[in-house]
Structures are given as C-alpha cells and as structure tokens.
Amino acid sequence: MTTTEAGTEAPSAPEAGHTPEPTTVAETDRPAAATVHGYHEQKAEHLKRLRRIEGQIRGLQRMVDEDTYCIDILTQVSASTKALQSFALQLLEEHLRHCVADAALRGGDEIDAKVEEATKAIARLLRT
C-alpha cells in the first residue's frame, strides 16, 4: 500500500511479473492467454452504453424515492431491461465473430467448447 496526498492508503501497483489472483470463480475458468476479447475494438462505445444504462437504473431509484406512479416506473424498468438485452446481444455477436470464429480456425476440441459456451450464454439470455 502507498499513501496518497490526502493521507489515505491506496493499493500498490502489482509487482513486475505478478499476476493478480482471479476475483471470481468464472475468471478461473478462462485461459490466461486470452487477453483480447471480441468487444475490445468497441470497448469505449460499450462503456458509454453501460453508463447510459446505469443512469436509467439510477433514474429508477429516484422515481421510487419520489413516489412516482407505478406504471411510470414499470415503463422505465422495461426500457432499462430492453437496453441491457440489446447490449447483451451485441456482446454475444462480437463473441461469436471473434472468439468462436477464432476457435473454428484452430479446430480441435476448442471449437466444441466455444460453441457449448455460446449456447449456454444464449440459454441464459432466453431465460430472462
């Protein structure tokens, strides 16, 4: 830890050659070499879109706090849900075009694993 000008401790930079521990179980299932993802080229646009969705969710909180009419809140919930679904579909398309296509070029068992992974992701999206 390092001390900032305000006197609070800030996390130190990782040591050279040190890889931080994965923070979720899902991260441990991913190969360490896969550092460029299908969404990489649109990362800035995705972050902008997610910030807009975050604003919609904060708007929902504000609506509840201000005792807004139920139907108006439900309309905003629907819009927020649709925005997240649209984002998920875009991300899925990029995954198919990049990760699954790359695995297809390599051949072998990797393509089967990527197709199964994509199929499970689609199934999760359909359940929502």
Side-chain angles (χ1 to χ4, degrees), residues 56 60 63 69-81:
Q56 287 179 296
L60 279 166
M63 291 172 82
Y69 184 57
C70 302
I71 298 302
D72 294 339
I73 296 172
L74 288 170
T75 300
Q76 182 64 26
V77 167
S78 178
S80 300
T81 300

Side-chain angles (χ1 to χ4, degrees), residues 92 95-96 99-105 107-124:
L92 177 61
H95 176 70
L96 292 172
C99 302
V100 176
D102 186 53
L105 290 174
D109 293 337
E110 188 175 350
I111 182 61
D112 293 332
K114 290 293 181 183
V115 169
E116 181 180 350
E117 181 182 56
T119 302
K120 287 179 180 179
I122 293 166
R124 284 191 302 272

